[in-house]
Amino acid sequence: MGRRALLGVGGWLAAAVLTTIAVVWAVSLIGTDITGPAARPMTLEEVERALATASAVPSVGPPASAGPGSQALGFSYAEGSVTAACDAGRALLLSWTPAPGYGVDDVERGPAHTASVVFESDDRKTTVSLTCRSGTPVATVRSAVEHDED
């Protein structure tokens, strides 16, 4: 092989290597924009942080059938939040949101003498009961520690 052939092969290899490097660099700059944003699962900490910063209870007004003195009130606890109003002297649960680590086990929305929601975690069950006094919602909270039966 002559010197000219070696220079040709060497030049071709150098061009191939430089082209490969340039393509890899260009693709890394583009990132996931070619196929859209990358989807990855959130970690537990990211989920808890997002839930903690989210608005727990939407802003709502009293139901249309409530009297003029009726008002919606929000109640927040470590286990969750509720918004309630009174409808003709009966409790009406408008919204409920469990805190991170809790779920909703049972809901009695009303209107009824007593409306309620049960927030439950792995080891705790909390019942928020709502009644009406003079057209204003009043909350009562009852918590119990649950034991695993293994």
Side-chain angles (χ1 to χ4, degrees):
M1 212 193 236
R3 187 172 182 174
R4 229 173 185 190
L6 284 176
L7 283 175
V9 171
W12 183 86
L13 285 174
V17 168
L18 289 175
T19 302
T20 302
I21 291 171
V23 168
V24 169
W25 176 74
V27 169
S28 72
L29 287 179
I30 295 171
T32 58
D33 290 342
I34 293 173
T35 59
R40 68 167 183 81
M42 295 174 74
T43 65
L44 179 60
E45 291 80 20
E46 289 171 329
V47 170
E48 288 176 348
R49 198 173 326 121
L51 288 172
T53 59
S55 174
V57 179
S59 178
V60 293
S65 61
S70 183
Q71 60 181 324
L73 290 179
F75 302 90
S76 292
Y77 306 98
E79 298 84 359
S81 301
V82 299
T83 301
C86 293
D87 183 8
R90 298 178 299 165
L92 177 62
L93 192 56
L94 299 174
S95 68
W96 53 93
T97 306
Y102 285 83
V104 175
D105 184 45
D106 189 29
V107 177
E108 296 294 329
R109 184 172 187 171
H113 176 70
T114 302
S116 64
V117 60
V118 177
F119 297 119
E120 188 173 46
S121 70
D122 291 338
D123 62 349
R124 179 172 295 281
K125 186 180 257 191
T126 301
T127 303
V128 179
S129 300
L130 300 132
T131 57
C132 290
R133 285 194 203 134
S134 303
T136 302
V138 176
T140 305
V141 179
R142 189 177 71 245
S143 276
V145 175
E146 293 190 336
H147 301 285
D148 287 336
E149 296 181 21
D150 290 335

